[in-house]
Amino acid sequence: MFEEVPMHRVYFGFAFSASMLPTGTVIMVKYDLTADQVREALPSCELCVNPSHKATLDAARIRFGLEIEIPERPVNVALKQGDSIIVMQVTGLPRLTDRHEYTEEEIGRASFSFVQITLT
């Protein structure tokens, strides 16, 4: 007899929030990722980024070659057991108040890190 196995979802975004978790007790595992690992994972990720992230996404493309499309509608993240979210954390980029992109120097000075949080 065929048993349908639920697919585990993998999301990509810039933040992790408790509102993404189901109610009750949850066990999670955090993995540090390299940009290469993120690049490999991106084609299967559901993207939860929006147009306000464009300059930061462009910085990730310039620095690491990460091609991240901005979806017409970002998905709402509702993690279930087995699901993951890959989070790109960026520090050191200035707020863009009078322009719409970062300089190569600003991108070079910024610190990028990538983590994957998986519900076990």
Side-chain angles (χ1 to χ4, degrees):
M1 180 173 186
F2 175 76
E3 184 176 339
E4 191 171 323
V5 178
M7 296 291 295
H8 297 295
R9 299 172 90 172
V10 180
Y11 300 90
F12 175 89
F14 291 156
F16 174 74
S17 169
S19 66
M20 298 174 178
L21 300 171
T23 57
T25 302
V26 176
I27 299 174
M28 300 175 284
V29 178
K30 180 191 83 69
Y31 304 95
D32 294 324
L33 300 178
T34 65
D36 289 337
Q37 290 170 313
V38 173
R39 192 177 308 102
E40 289 177 31
L42 275 172
S44 62
C45 288
E46 297 186 48
L47 303 174
C48 47
V49 297
N50 60 55
S52 69
H53 299 138
K54 183 179 181 336
T56 307
L57 294 171
D58 287 343
R61 181 183 42 75
I62 291 166
R63 179 93 172 257
F64 301 105
L66 299 179
E67 296 294 336
I68 305 163
E69 296 285 325
I70 298 172
E72 198 171 300
R73 283 194 167 166
V75 296
N76 185 27
V77 180
L79 296 169
K80 296 182 175 96
Q81 185 176 7
D83 290 349
S84 299
I85 182 165
I86 295 173
V87 179
M88 180 173 82
Q89 301 171 309
V90 185
T91 56
L93 288 176
R95 293 235 181 239
L96 295 178
T97 56
D98 58 347
R99 55 196 167 109
H100 300 293
E101 58 189 38
Y102 296 109
T103 67
E104 286 189 33
E105 183 178 316
E106 289 169 332
I107 294 168
R109 284 194 313 252
S111 173
F112 291 76
S113 63
F114 306 94
V115 298
Q116 179 176 342
I117 299 167
T118 302
L119 274 58
T120 59

Short mmCIF file of all heavy atoms in Angstrom, two decimals, residues 52-53 55-56 90-103 106 109-110:
data_model
loop_
_atom_site.label_atom_id
_atom_site.label_comp_id
_atom_site.label_asym_id
_atom_site.label_seq_id
_atom_site.Cartn_x
_atom_site.Cartn_y
_atom_site.Cartn_z
N SER A 52 11.61 45.29 -0.21
CA SER A 52 12.43 46.15 0.66
C SER A 52 13.80 45.52 0.94
O SER A 52 14.71 46.19 1.43
CB SER A 52 11.70 46.43 1.98
OG SER A 52 11.61 45.26 2.77
N HIS A 53 13.96 44.23 0.62
CA HIS A 53 15.24 43.53 0.82
C HIS A 53 16.14 43.59 -0.41
O HIS A 53 17.23 43.02 -0.39
CB HIS A 53 14.99 42.05 1.15
CG HIS A 53 14.21 41.83 2.39
ND1 HIS A 53 13.21 40.89 2.47
CD2 HIS A 53 14.26 42.42 3.61
CE1 HIS A 53 12.69 40.90 3.69
NE2 HIS A 53 13.30 41.83 4.39
N ALA A 55 18.26 45.65 -1.93
CA ALA A 55 19.66 46.06 -1.83
C ALA A 55 20.50 45.00 -1.11
O ALA A 55 21.64 44.73 -1.50
CB ALA A 55 19.77 47.41 -1.11
N THR A 56 19.95 44.39 -0.08
CA THR A 56 20.68 43.35 0.65
C THR A 56 20.81 42.09 -0.20
O THR A 56 21.86 41.44 -0.20
CB THR A 56 19.98 43.04 1.99
OG1 THR A 56 19.80 44.26 2.70
CG2 THR A 56 20.81 42.09 2.84
N VAL A 90 23.05 39.62 8.19
CA VAL A 90 24.02 40.59 7.67
C VAL A 90 24.20 41.68 8.71
O VAL A 90 23.22 42.24 9.22
CB VAL A 90 23.53 41.21 6.35
CG1 VAL A 90 24.60 42.12 5.77
CG2 VAL A 90 23.14 40.13 5.35
N THR A 91 25.45 41.98 9.02
CA THR A 91 25.74 43.11 9.89
C THR A 91 26.77 43.99 9.20
O THR A 91 27.57 43.52 8.39
CB THR A 91 26.29 42.66 11.26
OG1 THR A 91 27.45 41.85 11.06
CG2 THR A 91 25.25 41.89 12.05
N GLY A 92 26.72 45.26 9.50
CA GLY A 92 27.71 46.19 8.98
C GLY A 92 27.30 46.92 7.72
O GLY A 92 28.06 47.75 7.22
N LEU A 93 26.12 46.66 7.19
CA LEU A 93 25.63 47.45 6.06
C LEU A 93 24.87 48.65 6.60
O LEU A 93 24.04 48.50 7.49
CB LEU A 93 24.71 46.63 5.15
CG LEU A 93 25.36 45.55 4.30
CD1 LEU A 93 24.31 44.75 3.54
CD2 LEU A 93 26.37 46.15 3.33
N PRO A 94 25.16 49.84 6.08
CA PRO A 94 24.45 51.01 6.60
C PRO A 94 22.99 51.03 6.16
O PRO A 94 22.61 50.37 5.19
CB PRO A 94 25.22 52.17 5.97
CG PRO A 94 25.80 51.61 4.72
CD PRO A 94 26.09 50.17 5.01
N ARG A 95 22.18 51.77 6.87
CA ARG A 95 20.79 51.97 6.45
C ARG A 95 20.81 52.82 5.19
O ARG A 95 21.55 53.80 5.09
CB ARG A 95 20.00 52.71 7.53
CG ARG A 95 19.83 51.87 8.77
CD ARG A 95 18.36 51.78 9.08
NE ARG A 95 18.18 51.00 10.27
CZ ARG A 95 17.47 49.89 10.29
NH1 ARG A 95 16.89 49.47 9.21
NH2 ARG A 95 17.32 49.22 11.40
N LEU A 96 19.99 52.45 4.23
CA LEU A 96 19.91 53.21 2.98
C LEU A 96 18.77 54.22 3.11
O LEU A 96 17.61 53.88 2.96
CB LEU A 96 19.66 52.26 1.80
CG LEU A 96 20.79 51.28 1.50
CD1 LEU A 96 20.40 50.38 0.34
CD2 LEU A 96 22.09 52.01 1.20
N THR A 97 19.14 55.46 3.39
CA THR A 97 18.11 56.48 3.56
C THR A 97 18.01 57.40 2.35
O THR A 97 16.95 57.93 2.06
CB THR A 97 18.41 57.33 4.81
OG1 THR A 97 19.71 57.89 4.68
CG2 THR A 97 18.31 56.49 6.07
N ASP A 98 19.12 57.57 1.64
CA ASP A 98 19.12 58.52 0.51
C ASP A 98 19.55 57.87 -0.81
O ASP A 98 19.83 58.56 -1.77
CB ASP A 98 20.02 59.71 0.83
CG ASP A 98 21.45 59.28 1.13
OD1 ASP A 98 21.69 58.07 1.34
OD2 ASP A 98 22.34 60.15 1.16
N ARG A 99 19.61 56.54 -0.84
CA ARG A 99 19.99 55.81 -2.05
C ARG A 99 19.41 54.42 -1.99
O ARG A 99 18.80 54.04 -1.00
CB ARG A 99 21.52 55.77 -2.22
CG ARG A 99 22.22 55.19 -1.01
CD ARG A 99 23.73 55.51 -1.04
NE ARG A 99 24.31 55.22 0.25
CZ ARG A 99 25.11 54.21 0.49
NH1 ARG A 99 25.50 53.42 -0.48
NH2 ARG A 99 25.59 54.00 1.69
N HIS A 100 19.60 53.64 -3.06
CA HIS A 100 18.93 52.34 -3.15
C HIS A 100 19.86 51.15 -3.29
O HIS A 100 19.41 50.04 -3.53
CB HIS A 100 17.93 52.34 -4.31
CG HIS A 100 16.87 53.38 -4.18
ND1 HIS A 100 15.90 53.33 -3.21
CD2 HIS A 100 16.65 54.50 -4.88
CE1 HIS A 100 15.12 54.39 -3.32
NE2 HIS A 100 15.54 55.12 -4.32
N GLU A 101 21.16 51.38 -3.18
CA GLU A 101 22.09 50.26 -3.29
C GLU A 101 23.35 50.53 -2.48
O GLU A 101 23.63 51.67 -2.11
CB GLU A 101 22.45 49.99 -4.75
CG GLU A 101 23.05 51.17 -5.46
CD GLU A 101 23.19 50.92 -6.95
OE1 GLU A 101 22.31 50.30 -7.56
OE2 GLU A 101 24.21 51.37 -7.50
N TYR A 102 24.08 49.46 -2.20
CA TYR A 102 25.31 49.56 -1.43
C TYR A 102 26.50 49.65 -2.38
O TYR A 102 26.46 49.12 -3.50
CB TYR A 102 25.48 48.32 -0.53
CG TYR A 102 24.41 48.20 0.51
CD1 TYR A 102 23.44 47.22 0.43
CD2 TYR A 102 24.36 49.08 1.59
CE1 TYR A 102 22.44 47.10 1.39
CE2 TYR A 102 23.38 48.98 2.56
CZ TYR A 102 22.43 47.99 2.45
OH TYR A 102 21.44 47.89 3.40
N THR A 103 27.56 50.28 -1.91
CA THR A 103 28.79 50.32 -2.70
C THR A 103 29.54 49.00 -2.52
O THR A 103 29.31 48.26 -1.55
CB THR A 103 29.71 51.48 -2.25
OG1 THR A 103 30.17 51.21 -0.91
CG2 THR A 103 28.97 52.82 -2.30
N GLU A 106 31.21 48.96 0.86
CA GLU A 106 30.31 48.65 1.97
C GLU A 106 30.02 47.15 2.02
O GLU A 106 30.02 46.54 3.09
CB GLU A 106 29.00 49.43 1.81
CG GLU A 106 29.16 50.91 2.07
CD GLU A 106 27.94 51.71 1.66
OE1 GLU A 106 27.20 51.28 0.74
OE2 GLU A 106 27.73 52.77 2.27
N ARG A 109 32.98 45.23 3.44
CA ARG A 109 33.18 45.38 4.89
C ARG A 109 32.12 44.66 5.71
O ARG A 109 32.31 44.39 6.90
CB ARG A 109 33.15 46.86 5.26
CG ARG A 109 34.41 47.62 4.93
CD ARG A 109 34.45 48.98 5.62
NE ARG A 109 33.20 49.72 5.50
CZ ARG A 109 33.01 50.80 4.75
NH1 ARG A 109 34.00 51.28 4.04
NH2 ARG A 109 31.84 51.40 4.73
N ALA A 110 30.98 44.36 5.11
CA ALA A 110 29.87 43.76 5.84
C ALA A 110 30.19 42.32 6.22
O ALA A 110 31.01 41.65 5.59
CB ALA A 110 28.60 43.80 5.01
#
